[in-house]
Amino acid sequence: VQMVESGGGLVQAGGSLRLSCVASRSIFSEFAFNPMVWYRQTPGRERELVAIINTDESTTYADSVKGRFTISRNNSKRTFYLQMNSLKPEDTAVYFCNRRNNDWSWGQGTQVTVSS
């Protein structure tokens, strides 16, 4: 299964973006029965967990994004999303996605740049 991220871009502080992640070549059960995760990474730093959505659609967020980001999923499309509101310059990063075990093939990520 190959992860494919999209939706990044350049936005001013306070703006919004919606990221998408498709688990290409996955079958319904592979996707629907797995927790899915968004990460982000900046140069010289380790990958940071941003949000998790479980199979029952319960969610967990990093403290730094609580109240601003929302993770959701559409199992029929093998896709999950990250709605990012009230963006801050410190949200600037490359955003990646994977299932919780991190053992599907990583995508190239999608760059999010927030200008002040």
Side-chain angles (χ1 to χ4, degrees):
V1 176
Q2 176 70 51
M3 311 308 294
V4 180
E5 303 92 348
S6 63
L10 173 63
V11 64
Q12 288 188 331
S16 298
L17 285 172
R18 188 193 194 208
L19 306 184
S20 298
C21 176
V22 177
S24 67
R25 300 193 296 272
S26 67
I27 62 175
F28 178 83
S29 59
E30 285 180 316
F31 185 84
F33 299 154
N34 274 283
M36 304 302 294
V37 186
W38 279 103
Y39 298 90
R40 64 187 181 187
Q41 188 168 24
T42 54
R45 299 187 66 178
E46 291 189 358
R47 198 164 288 181
E48 173 192 14
L49 189 149
V50 176
I52 304 170
I53 185 164
N54 294 303
T55 55
D56 63 357
E57 301 201 7
S58 60
T59 56
T60 303
Y61 297 93
D63 287 344
S64 57
V65 307
K66 278 181 183 176
R68 299 188 298 120
F69 289 11
T70 303
I71 188 172
S72 60
R73 64 192 297 161
N74 184 328
N75 292 334
S76 65
K77 294 185 177 181
R78 324 294 194 266
T79 302
F80 67 114
Y81 308 94
L82 188 67
Q83 177 67 43
M84 305 187 297
N85 298 329
S86 302
L87 282 161
K88 304 176 180 180
E90 51 263 44
D91 295 319
T92 296
V94 180
Y95 285 70
F96 298 89
C97 58
N98 213 315
R99 69 172 176 172
R100 192 66 180 97
N101 290 343
N102 292 337
D103 59 351
W104 286 348
S105 296
W106 292 95
Q108 296 199 348
T110 186
Q111 175 71 49
V112 172
T113 303
V114 185
S115 63
S116 56

